[in-house]
Amino acid sequence: MKLEEQKSAPSLLPAKTKARISVIFAAVIGFYILSTVKTGATIGDLLDGIPNMGRVIVKFFPPNFNVFVHIIEPLAVTIQMAIIATTVAAFLCIPLSLLAAQNVTSNKFVYTFVRSLLNILRTIPDLVLAVIFVGLFGIGVLPGILALIIFSLGILAKLISETIESVDMNPMEAMSASGANTLQKISFALIPQVLPQFVSFVLYVFEINIRASVVLGLVGAGGIGIVLSQQLKFYNYPNAMLIILVIFVLVVVIEYISTKIREAIV
């Protein structure tokens, strides 16, 4: 008996760790089951809906390429919305990121206030923001741009502030010892360390804004989303399919260009 025990392979994890992993795994499975029961979203419902999905998808083909010339202008508006919103958010997030970084902002009240503000900005969905701004300013491009600016600001400031908190503080401390002021420390010790990640995050948010601007158009916030919404309302599925294909190609091209730029910078 002792020889058999000696031949068995030793366990990679202690028994206590195994028990914890088992409990966590059981809890996750329990949440899945509870969510399924409470929402009524069962696999049976999915299987029942598949035939309907197939009938609807068939109506989208073939796409109507004749409408391509009519969607060029709203597509350009969508890209312009994303460019303006991302640029404005990129500038606005710089002071907010510095104030939300614990290693730069020593005032706890200011740090907590800015952190809370960023959490609030990220809590509000971009679609809700678009609905609010459409109610304030009416249907058009401006509500979409404002919604994207706030949406982008919450993401960018959060990501960049965390990047700032992870930088090497030795250069800033060395400049402090030599008598440099705060602006000089940020310019010559902090920005060089953060700049590659800053550019990468801005490009990433730009990609997100292209997709988000399409969705915002569904509530009247400008861009090609309005055209897509109209075609779906009038059951012009081949026209809608072409718009979806154009958006897909646009997103893939922008993602490819952004990836190449990030690889060249980071």
Side-chain angles (χ1 to χ4, degrees), residues 179-234:
N181 57 35
T182 303
L183 185 60
Q184 290 172 328
K185 288 187 288 184
I186 292 174
S187 301
F188 298 103
L190 184 62
I191 290 179
Q193 297 186 66
V194 178
L195 188 58
Q197 286 78 12
F198 175 80
V199 176
S200 176
F201 290 145
V202 170
L203 291 172
Y204 173 67
V205 170
F206 176 64
E207 296 172 22
I208 296 177
N209 282 342
I210 289 289
R211 301 184 185 97
S213 59
V214 176
V215 179
L216 298 186
L218 299 177
V219 295
I224 200 170
I226 291 181
V227 182
L228 178 60
S229 176
Q230 291 172 346
Q231 298 305 315
L232 290 174
K233 284 179 181 176
F234 290 107

Side-chain angles (χ1 to χ4, degrees), residues 51-160:
N52 293 330
M53 291 171 59
R55 283 191 287 272
V56 173
I57 290 174
V58 168
K59 295 179 182 178
F60 282 84
F61 293 94
N64 184 11
F65 289 94
N66 294 327
V67 299
F68 179 74
V69 292
H70 301 291
I71 64 172
I72 293 177
E73 184 176 349
L75 185 66
V77 171
T78 298
I79 299 173
Q80 291 159 1
M81 287 170 58
I83 291 174
I84 295 172
T86 307
T87 304
V88 174
F91 281 107
L92 292 179
C93 79
I94 294 174
L96 289 177
S97 302
L98 293 171
L99 294 173
Q102 199 168 15
N103 56 344
V104 175
T105 304
S106 56
N107 189 317
K108 288 188 177 180
F109 173 77
V110 175
Y111 168 77
T112 305
F113 174 77
V114 176
R115 278 275 177 176
S116 302
L117 177 63
L118 296 180
N119 290 333
I120 293 172
L121 292 182
R122 288 198 311 279
T123 302
I124 306 173
D126 54 341
L127 201 59
V128 175
L129 290 170
V131 171
I132 294 173
F133 287 125
V134 167
L136 292 175
F137 300 101
I139 294 175
V141 176
L142 180 61
I145 293 175
L146 294 175
L148 288 178
I149 288 174
I150 295 177
F151 172 69
S152 307
L153 190 59
I155 298 175
L156 277 176
K158 168 72 173 176
L159 293 175
I160 296 171

